[in-house]
Amino acid sequence: MRYNGDKLRHFALPLGGLGTGTLALAGNGALRQWQLHNIGNHEGHVPDSFFALRLSRVEPPVDEIRVLQGPSSSPSDTPLVTDDVVPAGEARLQELLRPFGEPTVTATYPGARVDFGTDLPISVSMDAFNPLVPSDAEASSQPVAAFTFTLHNPGAIAVHGKLAGALQNSVGWDGVTPIDGVANSLYGGNTNRVRRHDDWTSLVMENTTLPADHPGAGQLVLTTDGAGALTCAQWSRPGEFIAFLNGPATPVSGASAPGTTWNGGLAVPFHLDPGETTQVRFLIAWHFPNRYVDFNQFGPRHDYGHSRFWLGNAYTRRTPDAVAVAESFIARWPSLQALSTAWADAFEASTLPGEAGSRLAALAADVRSPTVFQTAEGTVLGFEGVLGASTVMWGGRYGGSCPLNCTHVWNYEQTLSRLFPALERNMRDTEYDVMQAPEGYIPHRVIAPTYHRQLWDVVIGGPEEPALDGMLGNVLKTYREVRHGAGLEWLRDRWPNVRRLLAHIRTKWDADGTGVLRGIQPSTHDIDLCGVNSFMGTLWLAALRAAEEMALLLGEDAKEYRTLFEAGSTAYDELLYTGEYYRQILSPEEKPDFQWGDGCLADQLIGQWWAHQLDLGYLLPKDHVKTALRSVLRHNLRTGFDDFDHPYRVFADEDDTGLLMCTWPYGGRPDIPTRYCDEVWTGSEYQVAAHCLYEGLVDEGMSILQGLWTRYDGTRRNPFNPIECGDHYIRNAAGWSVLEALTGYRYNALTATLTFAPLDVARTNSDWTIPFVTPTGWGVATKSGPTLTLTCHTGTINVQTLRADGTTLPLEHPVLSGKPLTLPLQP
């Protein structure tokens, strides 16, 4: 997908692996949002870290040094976002070094190409990426940012010069405290050393004065494969680096003084005759092992004295330091780049409609942002998002939002479960082994380290008591993991936990066995729902169906779940369906505060969305479901927010189109309505849009998606950063279901059945090409005329039964990587 002009203003593509931290490639080619130091901070800036070019020509004479950045854009003043913030260090650098002209960026996550505009007699482009290999979590957890520069001389006269990279030694930094040049109170004792290995020249950045367990301890590496690379190992001011590019540098040795650090730089000489092209690679690698519990957790405050609770990072257990990281990655650079490019190309070359390919590929950034990390012992932990401009009113600007593993927000997430199912399954294990209370309930947050007392019988926060929707989601996610490769043995081990959880839910919210949940129902809206409502009700019905299926898989009697489901399905429809949509009804003693009553809730059928993904069938009458979805679009999808009253957070404004959480089309809005009713959540938009597509309401679903994607087109918001209660908000990861709804994709690992049935909008005439992911590998399916070709790019595709466009084909062998399989679809 191409970005230029105003669409570059908020463009910031994260470069970093699963749980490694990230830095961002800005739309002008600059490096921003440095979040390598175990904390989320979208405004984190490491000065004097950039690429530059010195270009010379004998006659006509040219001798210029330019920073490899386009001009910085002016901010858009969009509410609650910071992706357009130009760091002060970048602005000062561009005052000293002239930037290139405005670039054009072509990007499909996880990579981007920047073509720099220039009046110089040379063309320059930069390709940047971090490896993303679905179903291979280790390959996708590389703490690196990789850059390939292509220099081309289009003219008739030879040119020469130096391509340079500069990086500040930020070892010891906390990721938050502002850095002024090389000055920061956390610096001191920093050293940079030159290392040459094979054809690579590296600067190794360290601080050996720090204790091994210091939060900022670690290592950075800047390295290049450029032949004859020159080094300027330690410098303090950009003017010194410019002098180095103009001639030999005076070496500086020794550790940096207290309160300061060193910058380092490499320069690769080049000579290009007319028409010649050369490529130079640069790599930034990092290794920061000491992640601590440095965030405020929910629940009662405890006095742990002087303890510091170390969590560590899984990625640092694989390699001892950044030098080893760089060497390991360099050895696999071509293959990892090929696999990552193939993934991006699979989306861009697909028959998905319009910009859907690029947009859906970007969803992987959610789970590879600082929102998610993995401890040294392997526990997968996730915030709801990264604190930022949308959270300053309550949670601050830096760190993780709403720790940890919030079950009700993660109810929406589907991306991690598809791309890296073993990591998603780890979260289920944590829920059952750590979070589940003896009484059977599961609090909606986990306390880290996980050996601490969990949130049992205490006020939690957001909401106060364990969230019911989160617990219902636990059941659904358990069945999802079973279908997606966890296997029957894992289910057999987890089934007692599921039964205890369901027994608790039934005892507390349906003691009479009516199939309908009643009473106080803590929810993702951070309040207690009351009465009978289809938001909680459809999750409940879907959970009963999932429990029925799991019981049958284990050979147990599932009648109790079927009986409850049938009773509940009938009751919910009779009680709540208005002929247009599903309302909420309260008992006489229940107050309307924070409820929606006769309102139209966007997420009123969230359980049906889950049911479609898990092949659980309809929970409520099909025609009522479709009518209710149409009503949600008619009443809640708004275009133009200039005259709209935003009582809380602003996620859509001006001429935006967005799906409001709740409206009251016929009046009856409570004086204190359900919290967040006037907001637009990308995760809910993806959920409702996918549900529309599952129902065949294609125009309705695409209208939601187009509104969302236009809001996040780079002009006023970042295409790679959904914002809600923080940046990179994980509810947005519901979007993966849009891909599956568009393509009619299903995979059931229990039966090794693979299904494709793309909607007409995802076809070119009757043919189609779509990417897909299974637990053991990913590939591309292409229907061309009467044949179907499966191409596996990574791992294997284990399939015994293939269904495509209504044709069922048995397969005897798995599809192997590099060995496409072509099959006839008609006898």
Side-chain angles (χ1 to χ4, degrees):
M1 187 169 173
R2 179 164 293 186
Y3 299 84
N4 52 28
D6 288 343
K7 291 185 178 181
L8 296 174
R9 179 176 286 109
H10 284 265
F11 181 101
L13 186 144
L15 297 171
L18 277 160
T20 67
T22 61
L23 58 93
L25 175 68
N28 69 340
L31 304 180
R32 299 179 185 168
Q33 299 178 6
W34 292 79
Q35 301 176 102
L36 313 182
H37 297 74
N38 298 316
I39 190 168
N41 177 14
H42 256 230
E43 296 171 271
H45 182 60
V46 177
D48 301 332
S49 301
F50 58 91
F51 297 102
L53 180 79
R54 179 186 176 190
L55 186 72
S56 300
R57 186 176 64 188
V58 176
E59 191 175 347
V62 173
D63 189 29
E64 291 202 34
I65 299 176
R66 302 271 183 94
V67 61
L68 273 166
Q69 299 170 5
S72 301
S73 301
S74 58
S76 70
D77 298 322
T78 307
L80 306 184
V81 304
T82 57
D83 290 295
D84 58 339
V85 171
V86 178
E90 179 182 319
R92 287 196 298 267
L93 182 65
Q94 292 199 4
E95 291 174 358
L96 186 64
L97 279 176
R98 182 180 171 188
F100 274 66
E102 183 177 286
T104 297
V105 179
T106 306
T108 301
Y109 189 83
R113 178 184 178 91
V114 182
D115 290 295
F116 293 96
T118 182
D119 57 350
L120 295 174
I122 192 172
S123 65
V124 184
S125 66
M126 172 178 69
D127 289 277
F129 86 107
N130 177 280
L132 173 61
V133 185
S135 75
D136 188 341
E138 184 172 340
S140 303
S141 303
Q142 306 276 330
V144 299
F147 306 89
T148 300
F149 291 89
T150 302
L151 310 179
H152 173 68
N153 179 6
I157 303 173
V159 297
H160 61 279
K162 298 173 183 175
L163 178 67
L167 182 66
Q168 182 167 110
N169 181 339
S170 60
V171 176
W173 188 42
D174 61 0
V176 173
T177 305
I179 305 168
D180 183 10
V182 294
N184 184 280
S185 60
L186 300 170
Y187 285 158
N190 298 70
T191 57
N192 298 344
R193 57 186 170 90
V194 177
R195 183 176 186 270
R196 299 187 189 272
H197 180 72
D198 294 336
D199 295 326
W200 289 77
T201 302
S202 304
L203 291 179
V204 181
M205 301 183 171
E206 301 165 311
N207 189 328
T208 57
T209 68
L210 297 176
D213 65 347
H214 188 281
Q219 193 181 67
L220 285 160
V221 167
L222 173 67
T223 185
T224 182
D225 67 346
L230 308 172
T231 65
C232 185
Q234 298 192 158
W235 50 275
S236 299
R237 297 180 303 278
E240 298 173 70
F241 191 63
I242 293 172
F244 158 68
L245 294 180
N246 280 318
T250 301
V252 178
S253 61
S256 65
T260 67
T261 189
W262 294 114
N263 302 317
L266 303 171
V268 178
F270 66 86
H271 178 94
L272 293 175
D273 285 326
E276 278 193 336
T277 299
T278 190
Q279 287 190 328
V280 179
R281 292 183 290 175
F282 278 87
L283 181 73
I284 299 173
W286 59 91
H287 190 277
F288 291 100
N290 295 325
R291 180 185 295 273
Y292 287 92
V293 178
D294 56 0
F295 43 85
N296 293 324
Q297 302 196 75
F298 283 78
R301 301 284 180 172
H302 297 286
D303 182 8
Y304 293 112
H306 299 290
S307 298
R308 292 190 303 165
F309 296 112
W310 186 84
L311 298 175
N313 285 310
Y315 84 86
T316 64
R317 299 294 294 269
R318 303 184 188 105
T319 46
D321 53 29
V323 171
V325 167
E327 288 186 353
S328 173
F329 174 78
I330 288 167
R332 299 180 62 193
W333 187 324
S335 62
L336 290 172
Q337 185 164 15
L339 288 171
S340 302
T341 301
W343 173 254
D345 289 348
F347 282 85
E348 287 291 358
S350 72
T351 52
L352 294 168
E355 60 192 80
S358 180
R359 295 297 194 153
L360 296 175
L363 293 167
D366 298 335
V367 298
R368 301 215 308 165
S369 74
T371 295
V372 183
F373 64 96
Q374 190 176 15
T375 68
E377 65 177 10
T379 302
V380 178
L381 297 173
F383 299 99
E384 292 182 21
V386 177
L387 294 174
S390 63
T391 61
V392 292
M393 74 290 292
W394 72 271
R397 209 173 187 97
Y398 317 116
S401 170
C402 301
L404 277 166
N405 292 26
C406 176
T407 59
H408 59 73
V409 170
W410 279 78
N411 260 3
Y412 292 76
E413 181 274 320
Q414 302 294 336
T415 307
L416 184 67
S417 72
R418 302 305 198 275
L419 300 184
F420 306 103
L423 300 185
E424 183 76 46
R425 188 162 63 248
N426 179 279
M427 299 183 82
R428 303 291 83 71
D429 292 333
T430 297
E431 287 160 1
Y432 291 129
D433 291 337
V434 176
M435 298 166 65
Q436 189 168 28
E439 296 86 350
Y441 66 85
I442 298 179
H444 51 276
R445 304 188 193 280
V446 66
I447 296 297
T450 55
Y451 53 76
H452 279 317
R453 176 176 173 81
Q454 295 301 308
L455 296 169
W456 299 346
D457 301 318
V458 297
V459 172
I460 301 174
E464 293 187 354
E465 296 183 6
L468 175 56
D469 50 346
M471 286 186 272
L472 296 170
N474 292 138
V475 179
L476 294 167
K477 287 178 275 191
T478 300
Y479 184 46
R480 177 187 65 191
E481 270 56 280
V482 171
R483 285 171 54 94
H484 209 57
L488 289 182
E489 286 305 312
W490 183 81
L491 173 59
R492 192 169 284 111
D493 184 51
R494 290 305 173 202
W495 184 236
N497 300 89
V498 176
R499 287 186 60 86
R500 282 198 296 127
L501 175 59
L502 285 168
H504 169 79
I505 294 171
R506 292 171 62 182
T507 299
K508 185 165 184 175
W509 286 285
D510 186 24
D512 296 331
T514 64
V516 175
L517 304 178
R518 290 180 169 87
I520 296 175
Q521 302 159 47
S523 79
T524 194
H525 306 95
D526 294 340
I527 48 86
D528 295 332
L529 300 180
C530 296
V532 182
N533 65 86
S534 61
F535 172 79
M536 209 68 76
T538 56
L539 286 170
W540 165 237
L541 294 175
L544 289 171
R545 281 287 294 114
E548 178 186 9
E549 295 295 330
M550 287 186 281
L552 292 172
L553 286 171
L554 297 176
E556 296 191 7
D557 186 356
K559 184 178 179 180
E560 59 176 321
Y561 301 119
R562 167 56 67 169
T563 300
L564 274 175
F565 167 75
E566 290 178 348
S569 176
T570 299
Y572 274 107
D573 192 64
E574 291 178 350
L575 288 169
L576 304 181
Y577 188 61
T578 68
E580 274 195 75
Y581 55 83
Y582 288 89
R583 62 175 180 170
Q584 176 194 31
I585 60 171
L586 306 177
S587 61
E589 68 274 10
E590 290 175 325
K591 296 181 179 180
D593 293 358
F594 296 113
Q595 311 303 308
W596 65 84
D598 291 330
C600 181
L601 186 75
D603 280 343
Q604 62 186 260
L605 293 170
I606 186 173
Q608 187 62 68
W609 168 70
W610 265 103
H612 284 317
Q613 295 178 81
L614 299 178
D615 292 327
L616 298 175
Y618 276 92
L619 312 176
L620 297 166
K622 179 178 179 178
D623 57 335
H624 292 183
V625 168
K626 295 182 75 168
T627 298
L629 277 176
R630 288 191 179 101
S631 298
V632 167
L633 270 289
R634 185 168 65 254
H635 298 312
N636 294 32
L637 188 63
R638 181 186 179 97
T639 297
F641 285 81
D642 280 336
D643 60 345
F644 188 79
D645 181 24
H646 294 282
Y648 194 27
R649 300 173 300 190
V650 182
F651 301 130
D653 63 342
E654 297 186 358
D655 61 353
D656 288 337
T657 294
L659 190 72
L660 291 167
M661 283 301 301
C662 192
T663 63
W664 286 262
Y666 304 109
R669 174 173 171 143
D671 292 336
I672 304 176
T674 185
R675 186 172 290 171
Y676 314 127
C677 61
D678 299 309
E679 295 183 350
V680 173
W681 292 354
T682 63
S684 290
E685 289 181 301
Y686 270 129
Q687 181 266 122
V688 176
H691 191 178
C692 286
L693 295 172
Y694 280 126
E695 301 292 348
L697 304 176
V698 177
D699 290 343
E700 290 87 343
M702 294 305 297
S703 66
I704 297 173
L705 295 172
Q706 195 55 59
L708 190 167
W709 294 338
T710 300
R711 292 201 314 275
Y712 281 86
D713 68 353
T715 305
R716 302 185 69 245
R717 296 174 183 86
N718 182 4
F720 307 98
N721 178 24
I723 294 173
E724 193 187 311
C725 188
D727 296 289
H728 298 294
Y729 201 73
I730 203 63
R731 199 190 312 266
N732 185 74
W736 201 260
S737 62
V738 169
L739 175 64
E740 298 187 355
L742 282 168
T743 60
Y745 170 80
R746 297 284 193 286
Y747 182 75
N748 187 344
L750 294 169
T751 60
T753 300
L754 183 62
T755 302
F756 302 103
L759 299 174
D760 288 345
V761 73
R763 298 170 181 259
T764 300
N765 298 320
S766 63
D767 294 340
W768 42 265
T769 298
I770 55 176
F772 66 95
V773 186
T774 73
T776 55
W778 76 270
V780 174
T782 301
K783 178 184 177 294
S784 179
T787 64
L788 176 71
T789 300
L790 296 181
T791 303
C792 178
H793 285 277
T794 302
T796 61
I797 308 298
N798 295 320
V799 54
Q800 296 177 8
T801 303
L802 176 65
R803 295 173 180 158
D805 286 355
T807 298
T808 300
L809 299 170
L811 296 183
E812 296 182 357
H813 304 288
V815 183
L816 304 178
S817 178
K819 296 183 178 181
L821 177 65
T822 299
L823 301 164
L825 286 181
Q826 298 175 358

Short mmCIF file of all heavy atoms in Angstrom, two decimals, residues 680-708:
data_model
loop_
_atom_site.label_atom_id
_atom_site.label_comp_id
_atom_site.label_asym_id
_atom_site.label_seq_id
_atom_site.Cartn_x
_atom_site.Cartn_y
_atom_site.Cartn_z
N VAL A 680 -16.08 5.37 19.84
CA VAL A 680 -15.93 4.48 18.67
C VAL A 680 -14.70 3.61 18.92
O VAL A 680 -13.59 4.12 19.03
CB VAL A 680 -15.75 5.31 17.38
CG1 VAL A 680 -15.42 4.39 16.21
CG2 VAL A 680 -17.01 6.12 17.09
N TRP A 681 -14.93 2.31 19.05
CA TRP A 681 -13.84 1.36 19.33
C TRP A 681 -13.52 0.56 18.07
O TRP A 681 -14.40 -0.10 17.50
CB TRP A 681 -14.25 0.38 20.43
CG TRP A 681 -14.40 0.97 21.81
CD1 TRP A 681 -14.12 2.24 22.20
CD2 TRP A 681 -14.89 0.28 22.96
NE1 TRP A 681 -14.39 2.39 23.54
CE2 TRP A 681 -14.86 1.21 24.04
CE3 TRP A 681 -15.33 -1.02 23.21
CZ2 TRP A 681 -15.26 0.87 25.33
CZ3 TRP A 681 -15.73 -1.35 24.49
CH2 TRP A 681 -15.69 -0.42 25.53
N THR A 682 -12.27 0.56 17.66
CA THR A 682 -11.90 -0.19 16.46
C THR A 682 -12.16 -1.68 16.63
O THR A 682 -12.56 -2.37 15.68
CB THR A 682 -10.43 0.04 16.08
OG1 THR A 682 -9.59 -0.44 17.13
CG2 THR A 682 -10.14 1.50 15.82
N GLY A 683 -11.92 -2.21 17.83
CA GLY A 683 -12.14 -3.63 18.05
C GLY A 683 -13.58 -4.03 17.88
O GLY A 683 -13.90 -5.08 17.29
N SER A 684 -14.48 -3.21 18.37
CA SER A 684 -15.91 -3.48 18.19
C SER A 684 -16.30 -3.32 16.72
O SER A 684 -17.13 -4.08 16.20
CB SER A 684 -16.75 -2.56 19.06
OG SER A 684 -16.59 -2.89 20.42
N GLU A 685 -15.72 -2.34 16.05
CA GLU A 685 -16.01 -2.17 14.63
C GLU A 685 -15.58 -3.41 13.84
O GLU A 685 -16.32 -3.90 12.97
CB GLU A 685 -15.29 -0.93 14.09
CG GLU A 685 -15.88 0.37 14.59
CD GLU A 685 -15.16 1.58 14.03
OE1 GLU A 685 -13.95 1.70 14.26
OE2 GLU A 685 -15.81 2.39 13.35
N TYR A 686 -14.40 -3.93 14.12
CA TYR A 686 -13.95 -5.14 13.44
C TYR A 686 -14.88 -6.32 13.77
O TYR A 686 -15.20 -7.13 12.89
CB TYR A 686 -12.51 -5.48 13.84
CG TYR A 686 -11.47 -4.85 12.95
CD1 TYR A 686 -10.40 -4.13 13.49
CD2 TYR A 686 -11.52 -5.00 11.56
CE1 TYR A 686 -9.42 -3.57 12.68
CE2 TYR A 686 -10.54 -4.44 10.75
CZ TYR A 686 -9.50 -3.73 11.31
OH TYR A 686 -8.54 -3.17 10.50
N GLN A 687 -15.28 -6.42 15.03
CA GLN A 687 -16.15 -7.52 15.43
C GLN A 687 -17.49 -7.45 14.71
O GLN A 687 -17.96 -8.45 14.14
CB GLN A 687 -16.35 -7.46 16.95
CG GLN A 687 -17.22 -8.56 17.52
CD GLN A 687 -18.67 -8.15 17.66
OE1 GLN A 687 -19.57 -8.77 17.09
NE2 GLN A 687 -18.91 -7.10 18.43
N VAL A 688 -18.11 -6.27 14.68
CA VAL A 688 -19.41 -6.13 14.03
C VAL A 688 -19.27 -6.29 12.52
O VAL A 688 -20.11 -6.93 11.86
CB VAL A 688 -20.05 -4.78 14.39
CG1 VAL A 688 -21.37 -4.59 13.63
CG2 VAL A 688 -20.31 -4.70 15.90
N ALA A 689 -18.21 -5.73 11.94
CA ALA A 689 -18.01 -5.85 10.50
C ALA A 689 -17.84 -7.31 10.09
O ALA A 689 -18.43 -7.77 9.10
CB ALA A 689 -16.80 -5.04 10.06
N ALA A 690 -17.03 -8.05 10.83
CA ALA A 690 -16.85 -9.47 10.52
C ALA A 690 -18.16 -10.22 10.65
O ALA A 690 -18.48 -11.08 9.81
CB ALA A 690 -15.79 -10.08 11.44
N HIS A 691 -18.92 -9.90 11.69
CA HIS A 691 -20.21 -10.57 11.87
C HIS A 691 -21.13 -10.28 10.69
O HIS A 691 -21.81 -11.18 10.17
CB HIS A 691 -20.85 -10.13 13.18
CG HIS A 691 -22.04 -10.95 13.56
ND1 HIS A 691 -22.74 -10.74 14.72
CD2 HIS A 691 -22.69 -11.97 12.92
CE1 HIS A 691 -23.75 -11.60 14.78
NE2 HIS A 691 -23.73 -12.35 13.70
N CYS A 692 -21.15 -9.05 10.24
CA CYS A 692 -21.95 -8.72 9.05
C CYS A 692 -21.52 -9.58 7.86
O CYS A 692 -22.37 -10.11 7.12
CB CYS A 692 -21.81 -7.25 8.70
SG CYS A 692 -22.69 -6.11 9.79
N LEU A 693 -20.23 -9.71 7.66
CA LEU A 693 -19.73 -10.50 6.53
C LEU A 693 -20.13 -11.96 6.67
O LEU A 693 -20.49 -12.61 5.68
CB LEU A 693 -18.21 -10.36 6.43
CG LEU A 693 -17.69 -8.95 6.10
CD1 LEU A 693 -16.18 -8.90 6.22
CD2 LEU A 693 -18.14 -8.50 4.72
N TYR A 694 -20.05 -12.49 7.89
CA TYR A 694 -20.48 -13.87 8.11
C TYR A 694 -21.96 -14.06 7.74
O TYR A 694 -22.37 -15.12 7.28
CB TYR A 694 -20.29 -14.27 9.57
CG TYR A 694 -18.88 -14.66 9.95
CD1 TYR A 694 -18.24 -14.03 11.02
CD2 TYR A 694 -18.19 -15.66 9.28
CE1 TYR A 694 -16.95 -14.38 11.39
CE2 TYR A 694 -16.90 -16.01 9.64
CZ TYR A 694 -16.29 -15.37 10.69
OH TYR A 694 -15.01 -15.72 11.05
N GLU A 695 -22.76 -13.02 7.95
CA GLU A 695 -24.20 -13.10 7.66
C GLU A 695 -24.52 -12.78 6.20
O GLU A 695 -25.69 -12.79 5.81
CB GLU A 695 -24.97 -12.14 8.57
CG GLU A 695 -24.80 -12.37 10.06
CD GLU A 695 -25.43 -13.67 10.54
OE1 GLU A 695 -26.20 -14.28 9.76
OE2 GLU A 695 -25.16 -14.07 11.69
N GLY A 696 -23.50 -12.45 5.41
CA GLY A 696 -23.74 -12.08 4.03
C GLY A 696 -24.13 -10.63 3.84
O GLY A 696 -24.51 -10.22 2.74
N LEU A 697 -24.02 -9.83 4.90
CA LEU A 697 -24.33 -8.40 4.82
C LEU A 697 -23.05 -7.67 4.43
O LEU A 697 -22.43 -6.95 5.22
CB LEU A 697 -24.87 -7.90 6.17
CG LEU A 697 -26.11 -8.65 6.70
CD1 LEU A 697 -26.50 -8.12 8.08
CD2 LEU A 697 -27.27 -8.51 5.73
N VAL A 698 -22.66 -7.85 3.19
CA VAL A 698 -21.35 -7.41 2.73
C VAL A 698 -21.26 -5.89 2.68
O VAL A 698 -20.27 -5.30 3.14
CB VAL A 698 -21.02 -8.01 1.35
CG1 VAL A 698 -19.70 -7.49 0.82
CG2 VAL A 698 -21.00 -9.54 1.44
N ASP A 699 -22.25 -5.23 2.12
CA ASP A 699 -22.21 -3.77 2.04
C ASP A 699 -22.13 -3.16 3.43
O ASP A 699 -21.39 -2.18 3.65
CB ASP A 699 -23.44 -3.24 1.30
CG ASP A 699 -23.42 -3.57 -0.18
OD1 ASP A 699 -22.34 -3.93 -0.70
OD2 ASP A 699 -24.49 -3.49 -0.83
N GLU A 700 -22.88 -3.72 4.36
CA GLU A 700 -22.87 -3.19 5.72
C GLU A 700 -21.50 -3.38 6.37
O GLU A 700 -20.94 -2.46 6.98
CB GLU A 700 -23.94 -3.89 6.57
CG GLU A 700 -25.36 -3.52 6.19
CD GLU A 700 -25.93 -4.39 5.06
OE1 GLU A 700 -25.14 -5.06 4.35
OE2 GLU A 700 -27.16 -4.40 4.89
N GLY A 701 -20.94 -4.58 6.23
CA GLY A 701 -19.63 -4.83 6.82
C GLY A 701 -18.55 -3.97 6.22
O GLY A 701 -17.70 -3.41 6.93
N MET A 702 -18.55 -3.83 4.89
CA MET A 702 -17.52 -3.04 4.24
C MET A 702 -17.65 -1.56 4.55
O MET A 702 -16.66 -0.83 4.58
CB MET A 702 -17.55 -3.27 2.73
CG MET A 702 -17.17 -4.69 2.30
SD MET A 702 -15.56 -5.27 2.92
CE MET A 702 -14.45 -4.11 2.13
N SER A 703 -18.86 -1.09 4.81
CA SER A 703 -19.02 0.33 5.16
C SER A 703 -18.38 0.64 6.51
O SER A 703 -17.81 1.71 6.70
CB SER A 703 -20.51 0.71 5.17
OG SER A 703 -21.21 0.04 6.20
N ILE A 704 -18.48 -0.30 7.45
CA ILE A 704 -17.79 -0.11 8.73
C ILE A 704 -16.28 -0.10 8.52
O ILE A 704 -15.57 0.77 9.04
CB ILE A 704 -18.17 -1.23 9.72
CG1 ILE A 704 -19.66 -1.20 10.04
CG2 ILE A 704 -17.37 -1.08 11.02
CD1 ILE A 704 -20.12 -2.39 10.89
N LEU A 705 -15.79 -1.06 7.76
CA LEU A 705 -14.36 -1.18 7.55
C LEU A 705 -13.79 0.04 6.84
O LEU A 705 -12.72 0.54 7.19
CB LEU A 705 -14.05 -2.45 6.75
CG LEU A 705 -14.37 -3.76 7.45
CD1 LEU A 705 -14.20 -4.93 6.49
CD2 LEU A 705 -13.51 -3.96 8.69
N GLN A 706 -14.50 0.52 5.83
CA GLN A 706 -13.99 1.67 5.10
C GLN A 706 -13.93 2.90 5.99
O GLN A 706 -12.97 3.69 5.92
CB GLN A 706 -14.85 1.96 3.87
CG GLN A 706 -14.17 2.90 2.89
CD GLN A 706 -12.80 2.41 2.46
OE1 GLN A 706 -12.65 1.31 1.91
NE2 GLN A 706 -11.76 3.21 2.72
N GLY A 707 -14.91 3.07 6.87
CA GLY A 707 -14.86 4.18 7.81
C GLY A 707 -13.68 4.07 8.74
O GLY A 707 -12.96 5.05 9.00
N LEU A 708 -13.44 2.87 9.27
CA LEU A 708 -12.30 2.64 10.17
C LEU A 708 -10.99 2.90 9.44
O LEU A 708 -10.11 3.61 9.96
CB LEU A 708 -12.38 1.19 10.67
CG LEU A 708 -11.46 0.71 11.80
CD1 LEU A 708 -11.95 -0.64 12.30
CD2 LEU A 708 -10.01 0.58 11.38
#
